Amino acid sequence: MRTVEHLGETPVERLNAVFDVLNEWLNSEDFCGCMFINAAAEFSKQDNRCHMVCAEHKRLMADYVRELAKAAGANDSAALSAELSLLIEGAIVQAHVYGDKQAGLRAKRMAQTFILQAIA
């Protein structure tokens, strides 16, 4: 979150910066997927404590994106957060499972469309 705040001055710039940070992580040498996605898959029952911790992390990330969306003036910050969170999670899985080095950039291009629509 600190890197996002550093990269973007305005809330819209910060929403875009989320995907810049994501892309950097997906293309880092030590990227091996998301430990929260991996653990949630291993402990798949939703009432499992490990699964609940993973879900809470994902919820906190979505809350952060929702706050950025709200600050950017999105007409429905919860919907925009859900859309952007889906892009983020999909890019993580695409990069991990397929080794797709462009997943973060593709997600950012799609996100920009959703962001523009939501703040229009």
Side-chain angles (χ1 to χ4, degrees):
M1 290 184 211
R2 279 183 251 177
T3 305
V4 168
E5 305 292 322
H6 176 73
L7 290 175
E9 292 184 21
T10 69
V12 172
E13 289 174 355
R14 289 178 177 157
L15 283 170
N16 283 289
V18 166
F19 291 89
D20 295 329
V21 173
L22 173 68
N23 184 61
E24 185 177 322
W25 175 50
L26 297 180
N27 287 285
S28 65
E29 277 187 34
D30 60 344
F31 175 74
C32 58
C34 172
M35 70 174 124
F36 297 100
I37 293 172
N38 297 343
E42 287 294 320
F43 300 94
S44 59
K45 293 188 190 274
Q46 291 193 351
D47 63 347
N48 179 283
R49 179 76 178 131
C50 182
H51 189 96
M52 290 188 295
V53 168
C54 296
E56 176 68 4
H57 168 75
K58 296 300 185 176
R59 186 192 62 76
L60 290 171
M61 293 302 297
D63 287 351
Y64 174 69
V65 172
R66 186 175 61 247
E67 289 303 314
L68 290 176
K70 184 177 179 181
N75 49 29
D76 187 344
S77 59
L80 181 58
S81 173
E83 292 166 350
L84 298 183
S85 294
L86 183 59
L87 290 175
I88 291 165
E89 300 305 322
I92 293 167
V93 172
Q94 185 80 5
H96 181 62
V97 173
Y98 295 106
D100 182 355
K101 299 294 186 186
Q102 300 299 310
L105 295 176
R106 256 192 308 284
K108 182 179 181 178
R109 284 192 301 271
M110 290 186 283
Q112 288 171 331
T113 300
F114 292 134
I115 293 165
L116 288 173
Q117 288 176 348
I119 62 173

